[in-house]
Amino acid sequence: NNFFDARGGGAAGGGPMQWFHSLPPVTRLWLGSTLTVTALANFDVLQWTDLDLTHLTDVLGKSSNTTNSSSVLLFGRLEIWRLLTCFLYIGKFGWHSIINLHLMTQISSRYESMGPICTRRIFVPHQNNPQLLQQQQRNNQNNNYPYYSKGETSDYICALLFGVTGILLSQFYLLPYLGDTFHHHYRFFHRHLTFYTLYIWSKHYPQHNVNLFGVVMKAAYLPFAYLVMGYALSNGEVVPMDMIHGMFVGHLYYYLACVVPTVLGRGRVVIWTPGVLIDLCHWLEGRRVGGVNDDDVDGGEPIVVDTDGVIGG
């Protein structure tokens, strides 16, 4: 199986590599990239100061004041990679980083496997496919948002790109105007993106049961349970703004992707998955490019996972 096989490449109980290949493709790529970047920084192959992002102007190399910086020597003054590495470095190896990796993998894997929010537009009636034509006509009659019913890899990647963009823009251009209570000077945003994903998963599957360290609850309450835990573990001294920030951007994505199109109606949307991203993912998955796939029609069975498993424990 190739890397982007949506069903993964092995059983979860056959060892670390088979477990890794059993993960959905985007989760696999996210986890592998995070482990690689964090390991290289921990073994001093990369300097963490070459990975952080204190302001968007850092990508222009303005933060590099020394001529012997590895980033300057290798790539010149432009440091675009910081836009991604600030989401991939989780700090020094320890219990804190292990817990963050576990949470990220659990949430991302569940959201991707159960089916992400679909933002692939139905642009025109598909005269050669009666099922898709009926689906579009039904959406128009119900004044519903004009997306396909089943999310896939490209939709999840689009959601992550929205999250990365929203987190960075709000961090540097919105939160500073809200005062020190809301604006914390973060250099890395791994946990922001994790809780962004957690929030949109909980909104998309609010009635699913989850088990948080032995406490069974609906998925809709899980982000707020983590928020209370984060505040309690700091003895009420530190507000976990990284969690709140990620959840805020997640709420914005859910509102634009699911609520606004329903209100606007008539096929009008605010955000949608770009066609080039859809075709790229279909090509990597070995599916038809530039046409309608069988998975786009109603009636396809989504991948079901055990939502009663322990999250965070």
Side-chain angles (χ1 to χ4, degrees):
N1 295 324
N2 60 50
F3 187 89
F4 273 81
D5 183 350
R7 289 176 297 275
M17 287 306 298
Q18 284 188 317
W19 168 81
F20 177 76
H21 284 288
S22 72
L23 295 173
V26 178
T27 302
R28 213 181 318 157
L29 182 61
W30 188 2
L31 175 61
S33 301
T34 301
L35 286 173
T36 300
V37 170
T38 302
L40 291 176
N42 273 266
F43 292 118
D44 294 327
V45 177
L46 298 175
Q47 298 298 319
W48 70 266
T49 52
D50 289 333
L51 305 174
D52 67 341
L53 190 69
T54 58
H55 195 272
L56 289 181
T57 54
D58 289 352
V59 300
L60 302 177
K62 295 182 180 181
S63 62
S64 299
N65 298 320
T66 59
T67 57
N68 60 352
S69 171
S70 60
S71 60
V72 173
L73 292 176
L74 290 175
F75 300 99
R77 299 294 293 179
L78 201 60
E79 303 177 4
I80 298 178
W81 68 85
R82 291 180 183 269
L83 295 173
L84 289 180
T85 55
C86 66
F87 288 93
L88 299 177
Y89 178 67
I90 57 173
K92 293 292 184 181
F93 285 138
W95 282 112
H96 186 264
S97 59
I98 292 175
I99 291 174
N100 285 336
L101 274 176
H102 174 70
L103 177 61
M104 179 209 80
T105 306
Q106 286 282 315
I107 295 302
S108 178
S109 177
R110 288 170 182 271
Y111 179 62
E112 187 176 2
S113 297
M114 295 173 67
I117 296 173
C118 182
T119 52
R120 286 172 294 114
R121 294 186 65 183
I122 304 176
F123 287 99
V124 295
H126 300 276
Q127 302 293 345
N128 296 328
N129 194 317
Q131 289 180 294
L132 284 177
L133 181 58
Q134 291 175 5
Q135 177 179 329
Q136 186 182 43
Q137 292 173 344
R138 185 164 57 252
N139 286 349
N140 292 336
Q141 291 172 358
N142 295 336
N143 202 35
N144 202 355
Y145 55 92
Y147 298 131
Y148 292 111
S149 58
K150 183 179 178 183
E152 58 181 37
T153 301
S154 58
D155 298 310
Y156 188 24
I157 295 177
C158 183
L160 289 177
L161 292 175
F162 181 95
V164 166
T165 304
I167 288 169
L168 292 182
L169 289 179
S170 56
Q171 171 69 20
F172 299 124
Y173 295 112
L174 174 62
L175 296 185
Y177 296 99
L178 301 180
D180 293 337
T181 303
F182 297 97
H183 183 236
H184 291 213
H185 298 282
Y186 291 102
R187 292 173 174 264
F188 299 99
F189 305 94
H190 180 269
R191 230 166 53 137
H192 295 68
L193 194 59
T194 297
F195 278 86
Y196 163 83
T197 307
L198 170 62
Y199 186 86
I200 61 177
W201 173 73
S202 69
K203 294 291 287 184
H204 197 40
Y205 298 99
Q207 297 303 316
H208 279 269
N209 291 326
V210 295
N211 189 322
L212 179 62
F213 299 109
V215 179
V216 178
M217 67 182 71
K218 297 297 182 182
Y221 304 113
L222 187 61
F224 305 99
Y226 271 114
L227 192 62
V228 172
M229 286 178 54
Y231 186 68
L233 290 175
S234 66
N235 295 320
E237 297 177 358
V238 179
V239 178
M241 282 304 303
D242 50 355
M243 297 183 186
I244 297 175
H245 189 184
M247 291 164 61
F248 165 75
V249 179
H251 185 76
L252 178 62
Y253 171 79
Y254 182 82
Y255 184 79
L256 294 178
C258 299
V259 179
V260 171
T262 303
V263 175
L264 294 178
R266 297 183 180 179
R268 291 174 294 184
V269 297
V270 178
I271 59 175
W272 61 88
T273 305
V276 63
L277 179 59
I278 298 172
D279 289 342
L280 176 61
C281 291
H282 285 181
W283 178 71
L284 291 171
E285 294 171 346
R287 302 168 61 189
R288 191 190 325 172
V289 176
V292 179
N293 287 271
D294 292 337
D295 291 342
D296 289 330
V297 301
D298 286 333
E301 292 296 330
I303 300 174
V304 179
V305 299
D306 176 19
T307 55
D308 290 323
V310 177
I311 295 181

